Amino acid sequence: MIQRFEIGPRLSEMAIHNGTVYLAGQIAEDASVNIQGQTRQVLESIDALLAQAGSDKSKILHAQIFLPDLGDFAAMNEVWEAWVVPGHTPTRATVQAALANPKWKIEIVVTAAV
């Protein structure tokens, strides 16, 4: 069985299948803030979705981080490292990519266990 959450015409925010949670790319609601502010917003969205699935950040298996400006890498990592659970850091890839909205400074996709 596949469970889908916040289903829209283009995508669902989250899907659960076989004990694995798949999140759509999460972006900041307030794109006027700096990379650290946007990163905090994205991580809060991830926390909320994982909680809805009965999971949490200690169960993240893999994260993909998209940054339009790699100059933001260090500042983003400060927020990320304060957020992840020590000893439960997921596998991760960080790449430079143009995002759909030029005001967005970060987008994160995660896969987690339930």
Side-chain angles (χ1 to χ4, degrees), residues 41-61:
Q41 290 177 49
V42 169
L43 297 176
E44 288 169 7
S45 294
I46 290 169
D47 281 334
L49 286 165
L50 291 176
Q52 188 178 356
S55 186
D56 64 63
K57 63 187 172 186
S58 73
K59 297 178 182 175
I60 295 175
L61 303 169

Side-chain angles (χ1 to χ4, degrees), residues 57-75:
K57 63 187 172 186
S58 73
K59 297 178 182 175
I60 295 175
L61 303 169
H62 183 71
Q64 296 173 300
I65 301 175
F66 303 94
L67 297 173
D69 181 357
L70 289 180
D72 287 334
F73 185 71

Side-chain angles (χ1 to χ4, degrees), residues 23-39:
L23 299 188
Q26 299 300 301
I27 48 90
E29 290 292 321
D30 179 4
S32 70
V33 297
N34 66 15
I35 183 62
Q36 291 188 321
Q38 287 197 29
T39 302

Side-chain angles (χ1 to χ4, degrees), residues 31 68 98-105:
L99 301 181
N101 181 334
K103 293 182 181 179
W104 292 338
K105 298 182 180 301

